[in-house]
Amino acid sequence: MEKQVYISVSTDPVKSYQGIIEYTKSMQDIADMIHCDVMDGLFVPNKTFEATLVSNINQNTSCMLDVHLMTADPLSSLQSYIKAGANILTVHYEAFAQKEDIVKAINFIHDKKALAGLSIKPETPFKEVRPYSYNIDVLLVMSVEPGMSGQKFINESLDKIKEIATFREQNNLKFKIEVDGGVNEANVKEVLAAGADIIVSGSCVFKSENRAETIKNLKRGG
């Protein structure tokens, strides 16, 4: 059976509010998901639009909304992003001073009938989040430092993806492996072969002259 690959197109390269709305509208029937990058200027240096934008995107596309909270206090804003229409809501492992709050976040997201994601930065080893992998729907591997579009893929991420995929298979787990950062038509084959299911694409799709064809190429493995 052929592997199902999903492309989650990031809002990050688009810098204006209206530009994001128009871009996400243009992804209708082309992308599988819209990756809504939420940054608070604290967890990462950059700051982006908040839940009102996610709500507006939701009103303009039927694509799944893949909301990625790069925020210092994710628990405080989960409700607002669920209300805005998040289908997948992903929080960062590193954002939690009290790790038991990760379980609270996952349970809250599930209680609201959304899919729960957990993200790890490049320097965070998989073993840190292994205990949570039994209860999440998505594990988002950052293959660049979070917070800025256009960075180069960190090759060591491939080993981490393989480790996660092996653990998932050995334990018969169902979570999807999502990879965010620097994935393009030249390296996507390796990323998918390592075990990724969902590819986040920012600059690769946004800067493409034929975005629909680029998405098809990414799904095919380059």
Side-chain angles (χ1 to χ4, degrees), residues 57-71:
I57 292 170
N58 193 37
Q59 293 169 37
N60 283 278
T61 180
S62 62
C63 290
M64 283 187 71
L65 297 191
D66 176 22
V67 178
H68 178 194
L69 298 185
M70 289 173 271
T71 58

Side-chain angles (χ1 to χ4, degrees), residues 8-158:
S8 189
V9 174
S10 174
T11 58
D12 189 34
V14 194
K15 298 310 174 190
S16 73
Y17 192 105
Q18 192 55 38
I20 289 175
I21 300 301
E22 294 305 317
Y23 183 50
T24 53
K25 282 168 72 173
S26 75
M27 290 294 106
Q28 184 77 29
D29 302 322
I30 298 174
D32 299 298
M33 308 175 193
I34 303 298
H35 190 82
C36 302
D37 279 311
V38 178
M39 310 178 207
D40 63 356
L42 298 171
F43 184 73
V44 292
N46 282 353
K47 189 168 184 178
T48 54
F49 308 101
E50 298 174 352
T52 51
L53 175 61
V54 175
S55 179
N56 207 333
I57 292 170
N58 193 37
Q59 293 169 37
N60 283 278
T61 180
S62 62
C63 290
M64 283 187 71
L65 297 191
D66 176 22
V67 178
H68 178 194
L69 298 185
M70 289 173 271
T71 58
D73 184 18
L75 268 181
S76 67
S77 60
L78 294 179
Q79 176 66 45
S80 61
Y81 287 100
I82 292 287
K83 189 175 179 183
N87 301 109
I88 304 171
L89 190 50
T90 297
V91 296
H92 259 275
Y93 167 78
E94 302 87 0
F96 292 85
Q98 306 297 323
K99 298 307 180 189
E100 59 267 24
D101 285 344
I102 297 174
V103 178
K104 287 183 187 176
I106 293 168
N107 289 341
F108 180 87
I109 295 166
H110 282 156
D111 286 345
K112 299 298 180 182
K113 311 302 181 191
L115 300 176
L118 188 60
S119 183
I120 49 175
K121 290 182 177 182
E123 74 271 15
T124 302
F126 171 56
K127 66 180 181 181
E128 296 281 333
V129 297
R130 202 179 289 149
Y132 309 100
S133 64
Y134 295 87
N135 298 311
I136 58 175
D137 304 291
V138 175
L139 182 56
L140 173 56
V141 177
M142 292 301 303
S143 45
V144 298
E145 287 300 326
M148 190 174 297
S149 182
Q151 298 177 69
K152 188 178 178 184
F153 181 85
I154 298 171
N155 284 321
E156 288 78 9
S157 305
L158 291 171

Side-chain angles (χ1 to χ4, degrees), residues 3 141 153 155-169 177 179 187-197 199:
K3 175 175 175 171
V141 177
F153 181 85
N155 284 321
E156 288 78 9
S157 305
L158 291 171
D159 290 333
K160 185 186 287 187
I161 297 163
K162 289 173 186 174
E163 179 188 1
I164 295 166
T166 299
F167 180 85
R168 177 176 64 177
E169 183 178 2
I177 300 171
V179 179
N187 61 18
V188 68
K189 184 175 182 179
E190 282 186 293
V191 177
L192 293 175
D197 308 288
I199 301 296

